[in-house]
Amino acid sequence: MTRRPTRAEPPADSTAQPLRAPEITEAECRRCGTYIAGLDGRYACGVCGWVNDHSEGHRRLPRADEDPDRPPRGRRRPPLLPGLPPEPEPEPEPESAPEPQVDG
């Protein structure tokens, strides 16, 4: 039996250099001024939802073939099952107790 590799390894003849670890950078949100942190100059504000453009980063983003976690070629995603997933049944409404009648 052939053992399955536990992690993706680049081919032996690959001349690509390993990717550098991303640098944590900090800035103020351009919309609301909140102090935020990001990776390599790419930011997303959790308060107001502002996101800077990916091209504003400090270095280029890696291509898919440079990703060490990318599945090997020839491996495909599993097919989606036909149809929509079943909808959950609505919860029954709680029954209210009858109100006492007041004679008056």
Side-chain angles (χ1 to χ4, degrees), residues 83-103:
L84 298 173
E87 293 184 14
E89 293 185 25
E91 296 181 20
E93 293 183 19
E95 294 182 21
S96 59
E99 294 185 25
Q101 293 182 359
V102 178
D103 293 328

Side-chain angles (χ1 to χ4, degrees), residues 27-36 43-52:
E28 285 187 12
C29 173
R30 294 182 194 160
R31 185 183 297 163
C32 69
T34 302
Y35 189 71
I36 55 178
Y43 304 104
C45 179
V47 176
C48 69
W50 171 82
V51 178
N52 72 332

Side-chain angles (χ1 to χ4, degrees), residues 28-80:
E28 285 187 12
C29 173
R30 294 182 194 160
R31 185 183 297 163
C32 69
T34 302
Y35 189 71
I36 55 178
L39 296 176
D40 292 331
R42 293 177 178 90
Y43 304 104
C45 179
V47 176
C48 69
W50 171 82
V51 178
N52 72 332
D53 190 65
H54 73 278
S55 64
E56 295 179 34
H58 297 166
R59 55 183 172 179
R60 73 173 183 82
L61 293 170
R63 297 187 320 259
D65 60 348
E66 296 172 334
D67 184 359
D69 298 327
R70 183 179 182 189
R73 287 186 172 250
R75 183 173 165 192
R76 297 186 202 169
R77 287 185 173 174
L80 296 176

